[in-house]
Amino acid sequence: MAQIPSVEWLARRIVEAAGEAVLYASSDGRIRYWNGGAEAIFGWSAAEAVGQSMDLIVPERLRSRHWAGWEKSMATGVTRYSGRDLLAVPAQRKDGTPLSIEFTIQLIRDEGGALVGAAAIIRDVTERWARDKELRRQLKELQGKL
């Protein structure tokens, strides 16, 4: 009979194998964990991404707003996008190609309760977003003919 793996071993395997991007950034906004799903979605290898700023995936036009929200969350320990709330935003791949993502975020605290960063689980919804946009365009066109 096979030995039952530890929870830590199992969690590590699940996160690494996930099709969604799983990343963790420390309170200074530096990427500290980047799974295989993040590599597939964003095009940066873990070796390239870990230690870098989240600017790797945040489009330049949105960076000031992103960092203002990040700094506020790190200072207050509160984010309006935590737990099960789904956030949809633009992002960018390594080659600069835009994409649409949805994600959840969880603020991470150490054993003493101090805020040390945030983890996100991210899904690429670019194709769905494009289909929905086209359907909205077609609906608007049909409504204009009525």
Side-chain angles (χ1 to χ4, degrees), residues 62-81:
L62 301 175
R63 289 179 186 162
S64 63
R65 189 166 73 181
H66 163 80
W67 289 114
W70 179 266
E71 290 170 11
K72 182 178 179 182
S73 293
M74 292 300 115
T76 64
V78 176
T79 176
R80 60 184 193 164
Y81 305 112

Side-chain angles (χ1 to χ4, degrees), residues 70 73-74 76-79 82-83 105-109 115 117-119:
W70 179 266
S73 293
M74 292 300 115
T76 64
V78 176
T79 176
S82 63
I105 189 167
Q106 185 62 47
L107 297 179
I108 305 297
R109 298 178 183 279
L115 184 60

Side-chain angles (χ1 to χ4, degrees), residues 18-23 33-45 122:
E20 288 80 11
V22 179
L23 65 90
Y33 181 80
W34 186 266
N35 77 336
E39 290 181 345
I41 290 171
F42 296 108
W44 298 93
S45 70
I122 304 167

Side-chain angles (χ1 to χ4, degrees), residues 22-112:
V22 179
L23 65 90
Y24 167 75
S26 52
S27 60
D28 64 358
R30 298 271 170 204
I31 297 165
R32 303 298 178 194
Y33 181 80
W34 186 266
N35 77 336
E39 290 181 345
I41 290 171
F42 296 108
W44 298 93
S45 70
E48 293 172 308
V50 172
Q52 299 299 314
S53 162
M54 288 186 296
D55 285 349
L56 288 180
I57 62 173
V58 178
E60 189 170 346
R61 72 183 191 285
L62 301 175
R63 289 179 186 162
S64 63
R65 189 166 73 181
H66 163 80
W67 289 114
W70 179 266
E71 290 170 11
K72 182 178 179 182
S73 293
M74 292 300 115
T76 64
V78 176
T79 176
R80 60 184 193 164
Y81 305 112
S82 63
R84 292 188 170 100
D85 293 334
L86 195 61
L87 179 61
V89 297
Q92 65 185 13
R93 291 186 172 93
K94 180 179 179 177
D95 65 4
T97 303
L99 65 154
S100 297
I101 61 171
E102 291 179 343
F103 67 98
T104 57
I105 189 167
Q106 185 62 47
L107 297 179
I108 305 297
R109 298 178 183 279
D110 66 15
E111 296 83 14

